[in-house]
Amino acid sequence: MTSVNLTITARPSEACDTDLAKDPWEFAALAGYGPGASSADPIPRGAVRPGGLPPEYQGVPDAELHARIQAAKTALGDRVVVLGHFYQRDEVVAHADFVGDSYQLAQAALTRPDAEAIVFCGVHFMAETADILSAPEQKVLLPNLAAGCSMADMADSDSVEDCWEQLEELFAGEAAGDGLAPVIPVTYMNSSAALKAFCGRHGGIVCTSSNAKTVLEWAFARGRRVLFFPDQHLGRNTAKAMGVPLEQMPMWNPRQPLGGNTPEALRESRVILWHGFCSVHKRFTVEQIDRARAEYPGVKVIVHPECPMPVVDAADASGSTDVIRKAVDAAAPGDVLAIGTEINLVNRLAAENPDKTIFCLDPVICPCSTMYRIHPGYLAWCLESLVAGEAPNRILVDARTASDARVALERMLQARPS
Ligand code: 13P
Ligand code: SF4
């Protein structure tokens, strides 16, 4: 894996989140997401809290951290596998054995049953998924426990259970002659293990941005409607592309009775969308696309399906982070591509494709602030702890939740395009 040094060095005025321009240790000390927020699991005993990283790992020059990480990985050999999401910083990606989108990383967790430890450089729900899919004795470590996902936090178990009870009551009298369930729950991978387990228990399934259409087809073959959470945009964009009219996609606001809908609207619905979104992807706008087209006639615009529907409609293509990467690789020398996704990935694609013009649609620097919490200092600490026989920040999903969640994840892994 080549290392490209593109650390974000934004001035506060250039960053969408001014906290991101803070010194890494000042930033790391800020409250973040993670256990207790994006999941109901307890904080692991002895876990290092944000900002509590041992001082010997703070303020260490990048080159020294790089060498220490490499040395620890060499000492551990096959005992450890490091997984890195595309949105990670380059200094972290440089050490990953697998780099991919959330679907590919879930699969990668299955490919190394021999490794004692999986160090997940991503966010909390991804590490939970790796724990659920990996062998019981394997330890999954999340280098910084504050690396969560604000979107995942927008759907909590209590609100989803409450929604489900209301829907069950509403659809109780429905004729069932077609053999279909009244509603099938579908959770985006960006959700807590508890919600994946909920789907497992209620005939539902998990999806990622790379297989959402296949998963919705799976669900429509089994149910009259889908309850899709937490990302309204992925749900809406995918269902619309499959021909579901917008009027049949009511939004569920968990703070209102019946989610703020009439019983008729819910009865007529095909996809009930949870009121969740990604704060990074909601920044992309049609105006940015118009500007890119005016400045670069012939530009190809590719966006992530977590972007709002008008943005996806105005783009030339949309897809998961891996689809975006492949589209850039497939472009011809001299092509211009405007990308609507997280800045670390866009910058890396630009550096790896110097013969193409690649830029982010959003002129303001906008990384995913929780992915960004995996500073190489945390990775060095995790790996050196493993060398010393410790396994810090272990993400351990309880057995009952893991077993139910595995049902929904395996349905996803087995679902095939029709
Ligand atoms: P991918 O599944 O495309 O990797 O997306 C994950 C994510 O969190 C995007 O915001
Ligand atoms: Fe969550 Fe958005 Fe970050 Fe993806 S980019 S991990 S959806 S906050």
Side-chain angles (χ1 to χ4, degrees):
M1 185 58 52
T2 50
S3 168
V4 187
N5 197 5
L6 280 167
T7 307
I8 292 161
T9 50
R11 288 191 298 278
S13 60
E14 290 171 338
C16 62
D17 176 348
T18 50
D19 286 342
L20 290 165
K22 287 190 192 319
D23 158 87
W25 310 113
E26 206 189 335
F27 170 68
L30 297 167
Y33 298 94
S38 59
S39 139
D41 66 358
I43 293 163
R45 199 192 295 272
V48 164
R49 299 299 295 151
L53 190 66
E56 62 269 29
Y57 292 94
Q58 299 187 22
V60 178
D62 280 357
E64 190 189 323
L65 282 176
H66 185 84
R68 281 170 69 170
I69 293 169
Q70 271 191 327
K73 277 197 76 188
T74 305
L76 290 162
D78 288 346
R79 289 171 52 207
V80 69
V81 58
V82 177
L83 306 183
H85 189 267
F86 283 131
Y87 293 168
Q88 289 292 304
R89 313 154 181 245
D90 292 313
E91 310 90 285
V92 169
V93 163
H95 300 288
D97 299 301
F98 291 90
V99 182
D101 67 14
S102 56
Y103 182 76
Q104 293 168 319
L105 293 178
Q107 287 181 313
L110 289 164
T111 61
R112 290 285 307 278
D114 50 310
E116 279 163 42
I118 298 172
V119 176
F120 210 120
C121 299
V123 289
H124 188 258
F125 71 82
M126 297 180 182
E128 279 189 328
T129 304
D131 182 54
I132 293 163
L133 294 176
S134 59
E137 63 283 3
Q138 287 185 291
K139 300 180 183 76
V140 177
L141 311 185
L142 180 64
N144 184 346
L145 291 175
C149 165
S150 53
M151 177 211 281
D153 291 349
M154 290 176 190
D156 64 278
S157 290
D158 287 349
S159 308
V160 173
E161 294 274 4
D162 178 54
C163 164
W164 190 252
E165 271 174 35
Q166 293 185 59
L167 293 179
E168 275 191 323
E169 201 180 319
L170 181 70
F171 300 138
E174 224 171 51
D178 56 7
L180 298 175
V183 55
I184 299 278
V186 176
T187 189
Y188 188 23
M189 185 70 103
N190 300 32
S191 60
S192 66
L195 288 184
K196 294 182 178 80
F198 173 90
C199 287
R201 284 195 299 278
H202 292 283
I205 185 166
V206 179
C207 78
T208 71
S209 56
S210 60
N211 61 18
K213 178 172 178 278
T214 300
V215 166
L216 281 191
E217 282 166 357
W218 181 98
F220 284 137
R222 289 159 179 81
R224 271 169 242 135
R225 313 171 185 81
V226 163
L227 170 63
F228 191 97
F229 43 85
D231 187 19
Q232 57 169 296
H233 298 299
L234 178 65
R236 188 180 293 111
N237 288 324
T238 310
K240 181 169 177 256
M242 293 169 69
V244 178
L246 292 178
E247 316 79 79
Q248 288 189 303
M249 291 192 237
M251 183 122 77
W252 186 277
N253 179 344
R255 297 211 177 91
Q256 293 178 21
L258 289 184
N261 300 288
T262 61
E264 293 69 36
L266 292 169
R267 283 198 198 94
E268 290 300 313
S269 70
R270 293 282 285 148
V271 181
I272 303 167
L273 298 166
W274 197 261
H275 193 283
F277 57 85
C278 165
S279 45
V280 177
H281 289 93
K282 83 159 194 222
R283 291 182 50 83
F284 295 105
T285 63
V286 175
E287 290 70 38
Q288 291 165 355
I289 296 181
D290 291 344
R291 227 174 294 138
R293 292 204 196 283
E295 205 169 327
Y296 296 95
V299 62
K300 186 162 185 213
V301 179
I302 313 173
V303 303
H304 195 280
E306 286 175 13
C307 292
M309 183 185 77
V311 174
V312 170
D313 287 351
D316 296 296
S318 70
S320 76
T321 47
D322 191 53
V323 167
I324 293 172
R325 184 186 65 82
K326 287 193 177 113
V328 170
D329 284 350
D335 278 359
V336 183
L337 294 106
I339 313 288
T341 197
E342 204 267 354
I343 191 74
N344 277 292
L345 174 58
V346 180
N347 281 348
R348 190 175 314 117
L349 291 172
E352 288 172 354
N353 292 270
D355 56 340
K356 301 160 197 167
T357 301
I358 292 157
F359 61 94
C360 183
L361 271 177
D362 187 347
V364 176
I365 292 177
C366 198
C368 169
S369 61
T370 47
M371 288 272 184
Y372 195 58
R373 287 178 180 272
I374 310 287
H375 185 278
Y378 285 91
L379 179 56
W381 166 69
C382 240
L383 292 168
E384 290 185 352
S385 299
L386 283 169
V387 173
E390 292 153 24
N393 285 12
R394 182 172 180 187
I395 301 300
L396 194 52
V397 178
D398 74 83
R400 165 102 205 277
T401 306
S403 148
D404 290 345
R406 200 174 298 117
V407 171
L409 281 163
E410 281 171 358
R411 285 181 185 135
M412 173 189 83
L413 293 170
Q414 280 154 24
R416 294 277 166 264
S418 55

